[in-house]
Amino acid sequence: MKLVLGIDGGGTSCRAALATADGTVIGRAKSGAANIRTDLTGARANILDAARQAFVAAGQDSELIPQTPAILGLAGANVGTYRKQLEAILPFSVSRVETDAEIALEGAVGSGDGAMAILGTGTAYMARKAGKSRAIGGWGFQVGDQGSGARIGRDLLEQTLLAYDGIRQGSPLTQAMLAIFRDNPEDLVEFTTNAKPGDFGGFAPKVFDHAEKGDAVANWILDKAVADVEAALGVLDLGDDDPLCLLGGLAPLYAPRLSARYRALLKPPLDDALGGAVQMAVRVFAKAAEAAR
Amino acid sequence: MKLVLGIDGGGTSCRAALATADGTVIGRAKSGAANIRTDLTGARANILDAARQAFVAAGQDSELIPQTPAILGLAGANVGTYRKQLEAILPFSVSRVETDAEIALEGAVGSGDGAMAILGTGTAYMARKAGKSRAIGGWGFQVGDQGSGARIGRDLLEQTLLAYDGIRQGSPLTQAMLAIFRDNPEDLVEFTTNAKPGDFGGFAPKVFDHAEKGDAVANWILDKAVADVEAALGVLDLGDDDPLCLLGGLAPLYAPRLSARYRALLKPPLDDALGGAVQMAVRVFAKAAEAAR
């Protein structure tokens, strides 16, 4: 029986799935972090650990690893030469390293044309057209990630201070925010000094909540955020039949706010990123082998 | 001879000026930091040091300190109860602690109605109307300081990344910025990870330069910045005869970009913050004493 491996490695964990040539997963396992940019040798160790455990979970002999091809979607694979370095030191029969975004896209929309928007604490986009992928965004909170939870939260704090100074009209939302900081703008500013993107992003659901109730500041912030998200989607140049998947924690909150053009393209993701790695492995290795027979 | 003291204390130094009852400065001196919020006892020591030295510089006996009234404009005086705490432990005959902004405004526009806009790495505003002062802005780079050098620089980096992704039209300025980072957006993002407000603000003069030459992105950024500055000025509710002083490193760059309504109010500052403290001391102490005679 011919087997393939799918690997999904990120900053906190690495997951592996062993599958038969038709894509049926027969064993899964999980190990530690696998970001090849921050720790290449540590990533390699955790990848092998997860792969071995997946063989064990499937009741298969891990001695077969050198005969098994693998697709690996890994954080950090988009930068520098880490991808080539890792491919050279992996024990699989064939090792193909992709970005984590690439396998997430394969999982979400399959192997054809389509796009995904990751809308969470950060934002990032990827589309595939005629087999060619393009990633945009994802530059982080400080000067990127427009429309992200972190940016929405930061915008809310900024508008709250502007309302305090009388520069913009306040709203129930800005009043509620100031109350969180004991009605003291100094406390609000103090909070921002060491706040991480996730801390700002924690306020984003509140903005969607209040927008729903008609809050003017909340709707102003979200109108801008939706425009930013749609500006990015516009660059992806989606066809009328291309599936568009929204991923990330804010996906269900954004979906009803998109314009009709994009709402018409929305599809639930077919699978997750690990499933994407497995499906890509089946497509690239098993089906290619079958065709060659 | 009746004497008065003016003190200007900030995060890096403390300046003192000893003046006669008509406001003629007869001795100046400088000592270390005097931010009463971060170090109250250290601030007191540096204030006394500067005051004593000013007496020496004027050829006056510093034994006269307990008979001399002082106006002190100090960083940190706008927060909490530090102001009252300090007033209780100073040796002057009368000690009146004001914010550093208050004496800067007195220096810039005198004792009547008027306003100042501090336009540098950060932004802040203060106006006096019928003897009552009002300060707005100055909340810092992360969620405030709209129109500041730091915000303009951050905006430029953001627009540079959007141009790289094709989300907005690039310009000679965004191309020049990307070139600074070896045409690698990852390097640009890396820079922002630890950049301080002053690091972002370092790019602001470049934006004004390119705007002058007709750069579309530069003008887009500055149109927003000018609108933000004028929104703050709008809240100050200036009369048609109220002087408006622009202070800070970006003041000469902003002046020609303001709308006619505000350009008509612009006046060069009469004096600096230390001069403001001296003038306020003369107004409050010397003239009051004269009136009482």
Side-chain angles (χ1 to χ4, degrees):
Chain A
M1 182 176 63
K2 170 105 179 143
L3 298 174
V4 297
L5 269 167
I7 308 269
D8 171 28
T12 54
S13 68
C14 178
R15 297 184 302 153
L18 185 66
T20 56
D22 64 352
T24 307
V25 173
I26 59 173
R28 291 172 190 275
K30 193 172 167 179
S31 62
N35 184 319
I36 59 175
R37 182 186 185 185
T38 53
D39 182 6
L40 188 72
T41 53
R44 180 180 180 276
N46 283 325
I47 288 165
L48 291 200
D49 185 26
R52 262 190 227 105
Q53 285 185 54
F55 270 83
V56 172
Q60 297 284 327
D61 186 350
S62 65
E63 298 280 311
L64 291 173
I65 283 182
Q67 288 145 254
T68 308
I71 295 282
L72 306 95
L74 301 176
N78 54 327
V79 188
T81 59
Y82 306 109
R83 180 200 294 234
K84 293 277 167 231
Q85 289 177 53
L86 183 71
E87 283 176 349
I89 56 172
L90 286 174
F92 311 115
S93 65
V94 186
S95 301
R96 194 164 126 184
V97 175
E98 300 284 350
T99 64
D100 46 354
E102 189 76 44
I103 60 165
L105 180 66
E106 179 98 12
V109 305
S111 61
D113 287 0
M116 66 172 185
I118 301 172
L119 306 171
T121 301
T123 51
Y125 307 82
M126 193 172 215
R128 197 193 292 113
K129 262 191 116 69
K132 229 177 117 57
S133 305
R134 176 177 184 193
I136 60 172
W139 299 117
F141 154 72
Q142 194 61 265
V143 289
D145 286 8
Q146 294 82 5
S148 65
R151 289 290 294 260
I152 289 172
R154 190 174 77 180
D155 283 352
L156 172 57
L157 294 176
E158 179 167 356
Q159 298 307 312
T160 298
L161 289 172
L162 288 171
Y164 176 86
D165 274 341
I167 294 173
R168 82 159 292 148
Q169 184 95 39
S171 74
L173 176 57
T174 63
Q175 284 157 26
M177 280 305 293
L178 201 57
I180 289 174
F181 296 100
R182 304 183 306 154
D183 288 322
N184 185 349
E186 291 282 344
D187 281 10
L188 189 160
V189 172
E190 189 69 32
F191 166 84
T192 67
T193 313
N194 296 306
K196 300 269 173 295
D199 299 325
F200 287 104
F203 296 119
K206 215 180 175 65
V207 180
F208 281 93
D209 268 8
H210 278 74
E212 198 65 38
K213 294 181 210 148
D215 188 280
V217 173
N219 278 293
W220 183 88
I221 291 171
L222 290 187
D223 286 351
K224 188 159 69 81
V226 168
D228 285 341
V229 168
E230 296 204 350
L233 291 175
V235 171
L236 300 179
D237 191 25
L238 302 177
D240 288 344
D241 298 325
D242 292 345
L244 168 63
C245 293
L246 305 186
L247 308 175
L250 298 181
L253 298 173
Y254 262 111
R257 294 194 156 257
L258 294 183
S259 57
R261 149 138 182 66
Y262 293 112
R263 277 207 316 276
L265 304 181
L266 293 182
K267 296 276 183 306
L270 300 170
D271 207 336
D272 66 4
L274 182 59
V278 168
Q279 290 309 315
M280 197 185 291
V282 168
R283 175 161 67 84
V284 172
F285 303 126
K287 289 188 182 158
E290 201 172 305
R293 222 181 279 164
Chain B
M1 182 176 63
K2 169 106 179 141
L3 298 174
V4 297
L5 269 168
I7 308 270
D8 171 29
T12 54
S13 69
C14 178
R15 298 185 301 154
L18 185 66
T20 55
D22 65 352
T24 306
V25 174
I26 58 172
R28 291 172 190 276
K30 193 173 164 177
S31 62
N35 183 319
I36 58 174
R37 183 188 184 184
T38 53
D39 181 7
L40 188 72
T41 54
R44 178 180 182 277
N46 283 324
I47 287 165
L48 290 200
D49 184 26
R52 262 190 227 105
Q53 285 185 54
F55 270 83
V56 172
Q60 296 284 326
D61 186 351
S62 65
E63 298 280 309
L64 292 172
I65 284 184
Q67 287 144 257
T68 308
I71 294 283
L72 305 94
L74 301 175
N78 53 330
V79 187
T81 58
Y82 305 109
R83 178 199 296 232
K84 292 277 166 229
Q85 289 177 54
L86 182 71
E87 283 177 350
I89 57 173
L90 286 174
F92 310 115
S93 67
V94 187
S95 302
R96 193 164 124 182
V97 176
E98 299 284 350
T99 65
D100 44 355
E102 188 76 44
I103 62 165
L105 180 66
E106 180 99 12
V109 305
S111 62
D113 286 0
M116 67 173 183
I118 301 171
L119 306 171
T121 300
T123 50
Y125 307 82
M126 195 171 212
R128 197 192 294 112
K129 261 193 118 66
K132 228 177 118 56
S133 305
R134 176 177 182 192
I136 62 172
W139 300 118
F141 156 71
Q142 196 60 264
V143 289
D145 285 7
Q146 293 84 5
S148 66
R151 289 290 294 258
I152 288 171
R154 190 174 78 179
D155 283 352
L156 173 57
L157 294 176
E158 178 166 356
Q159 298 307 312
T160 298
L161 288 172
L162 288 171
Y164 176 85
D165 274 340
I167 295 173
R168 81 161 295 149
Q169 185 96 36
S171 74
L173 176 57
T174 63
Q175 284 157 24
M177 281 305 292
L178 202 57
I180 289 175
F181 296 101
R182 305 182 305 154
D183 288 322
N184 184 348
E186 292 282 342
D187 281 10
L188 188 161
V189 172
E190 190 70 31
F191 166 83
T192 66
T193 312
N194 296 306
K196 300 268 173 296
D199 299 323
F200 287 103
F203 296 118
K206 214 180 175 64
V207 179
F208 282 92
D209 269 6
H210 277 75
E212 199 65 38
K213 294 180 210 151
D215 188 281
V217 173
N219 278 294
W220 183 87
I221 291 171
L222 291 187
D223 286 351
K224 188 160 69 79
V226 168
D228 285 340
V229 168
E230 296 204 350
L233 291 176
V235 170
L236 299 180
D237 192 25
L238 303 175
D240 289 344
D241 298 325
D242 292 344
L244 168 63
C245 292
L246 305 187
L247 308 175
L250 297 181
L253 299 172
Y254 261 111
R257 295 195 155 256
L258 294 183
S259 58
R261 148 137 182 64
Y262 293 112
R263 278 208 314 278
L265 304 182
L266 292 183
K267 295 275 182 307
L270 301 171
D271 206 337
D272 66 2
L274 181 59
V278 169
Q279 289 311 315
M280 197 185 291
V282 168
R283 175 162 65 85
V284 173
F285 303 126
K287 291 191 178 156
E290 202 172 306
R293 224 182 279 164

